[in-house]
Amino acid sequence: MTSARDIQTVIRRLADPKQAKRATRFFKTGPGDYAENDQFLGIRTPVLRAHARQFRDTSVTQIFRLLKSVYHEERLLALFMLVQKFGQADEKQQTSIFKRYLAHLKYVNNWDLVDSSAYQIIGRYLFTRDRSVLYTLARSPSLWVRRVAIVSTYHFIKNGDYKDVLRLSKLLINDKEDLIHKAVGWMLREAGKRSLDKQKSFLKKYSIDMPRTMLRYAIEKYPEQERKRILKGRF
């Protein structure tokens, strides 16, 4: 059986210091930044996805051990593997993965880590279940946990269910973090692709209170003149 340590041995041989340096700038790891002190190996995402397929038979326990890595790419690899494992699991196994994922959210601590796993695990699991946990997550002091809450609704949106994305967007409308503004705007944009009426109804009511980044993301696909009108509060 492949262990987390075995995987790390393979992955760390792929490290690229120059790419790692670029990644630390891209992911804002400086003092006071959102990913302060995160560490990178310098491995590109397509390479990690390929290795996730290579190590697809790794146990869930070993995947969660890998998720605790200090290296960003190893955490991302673990999440790719976990999403694969969740998709292949029966209901009992999915419940276990869902609960353990929630218990390990402190390791899902950058926007790409959230966006690569939250809707595929939490959103998919909660689609036919009680979703109250999302509202608890949305009130977390952690930026990343709040992002998990809103991004999880992407699975609902893809399946024609917009109730929670609209409710959570309202709850997060006064959030102070730009990365939440972007995530909410992204989810509203995705909702609008499938139900323009519901999205516009929400925007008519709340656009005046929305941070500009959130609103711009939500209406990104609108014709230019319509975007300008909405940004001025006219519909």
Side-chain angles (χ1 to χ4, degrees):
M1 180 181 294
T2 306
S3 70
R5 189 179 297 274
D6 293 334
I7 295 170
Q8 289 171 326
T9 298
V10 173
I11 293 301
R12 293 180 189 185
R13 290 173 182 158
L14 305 174
D16 181 340
K18 290 184 179 179
Q19 178 62 24
K21 188 173 182 179
R22 287 192 289 268
T24 60
R25 293 194 296 268
F26 181 76
F27 284 101
K28 310 294 185 184
T29 64
D33 287 337
Y34 63 73
E36 183 176 358
N37 297 324
D38 200 357
Q39 298 183 50
F40 287 80
L41 291 165
I43 305 170
R44 296 183 182 276
T45 298
V47 175
L48 296 173
R49 289 192 182 277
H51 279 82
R53 293 189 292 272
Q54 176 184 338
F55 297 124
R56 60 183 175 273
D57 294 330
T58 305
S59 72
V60 170
T61 294
Q62 292 300 316
I63 292 172
F64 276 106
R65 286 182 182 172
L66 184 63
L67 183 59
K68 296 178 181 180
S69 172
V70 298
Y71 289 110
H72 184 103
E73 291 94 341
E74 290 180 350
R75 299 197 302 280
L76 183 57
L77 173 60
L79 291 167
F80 288 153
M81 296 166 68
L82 200 60
V83 167
Q84 285 181 170
K85 193 71 70 172
F86 186 89
Q88 299 164 356
D90 60 27
E91 185 174 359
K92 182 178 178 180
Q93 293 168 330
Q94 286 187 341
T95 297
S96 176
I97 291 171
F98 167 78
K99 290 179 177 179
R100 293 177 74 175
Y101 179 86
L102 286 178
H104 285 74
L105 283 182
K106 70 178 181 179
Y107 303 105
V108 187
N109 58 349
N110 212 315
W111 59 264
D112 61 326
L113 305 180
V114 172
D115 299 354
S116 297
S117 60
Y119 76 89
Q120 297 97 322
I121 296 176
I122 292 183
R124 183 172 175 180
Y125 183 78
L126 294 180
F127 185 59
T128 58
R129 296 176 173 86
D130 176 73
R131 302 174 187 176
S132 58
V133 66
L134 293 180
Y135 296 85
T136 300
L137 298 177
R139 293 181 174 90
S140 169
S142 165
L143 155 65
W144 306 119
V145 174
R146 299 198 303 279
R147 188 170 174 114
V148 164
I150 188 65
V151 172
S152 291
T153 67
Y154 195 18
H155 183 82
F156 310 157
I157 293 166
K158 287 183 168 188
N159 287 275
D161 185 339
Y162 313 107
K163 175 180 63 179
D164 292 287
V165 66
L166 299 178
R167 289 180 177 176
L168 286 164
S169 294
K170 180 181 176 182
L171 181 63
L172 293 167
I173 206 167
N174 294 315
D175 199 282
K176 303 301 183 185
E177 296 287 350
D178 184 65
L179 284 169
I180 297 298
H181 303 168
K182 291 177 179 178
V184 172
W186 169 30
M187 290 301 103
L188 288 172
R189 183 175 72 236
E190 293 302 323
K193 289 178 182 179
R194 297 161 175 85
S195 179
L196 191 59
D197 289 344
K198 288 186 182 297
Q199 189 220 43
K200 281 194 171 182
S201 177
F202 181 89
L203 294 178
K204 285 178 182 179
K205 190 171 183 179
Y206 296 109
S207 63
I208 194 67
D209 300 315
M210 293 170 68
R212 294 299 89 178
T213 297
M214 186 185 294
L215 182 57
R216 289 181 186 278
Y217 267 59
I219 62 175
E220 184 179 11
K221 300 300 182 181
Y222 281 35
E224 182 179 1
Q225 293 305 312
E226 189 172 7
R227 289 201 310 273
K228 290 180 177 179
R229 287 199 308 272
I230 293 173
L231 288 168
K232 293 177 181 178
R234 301 201 304 266
F235 284 83

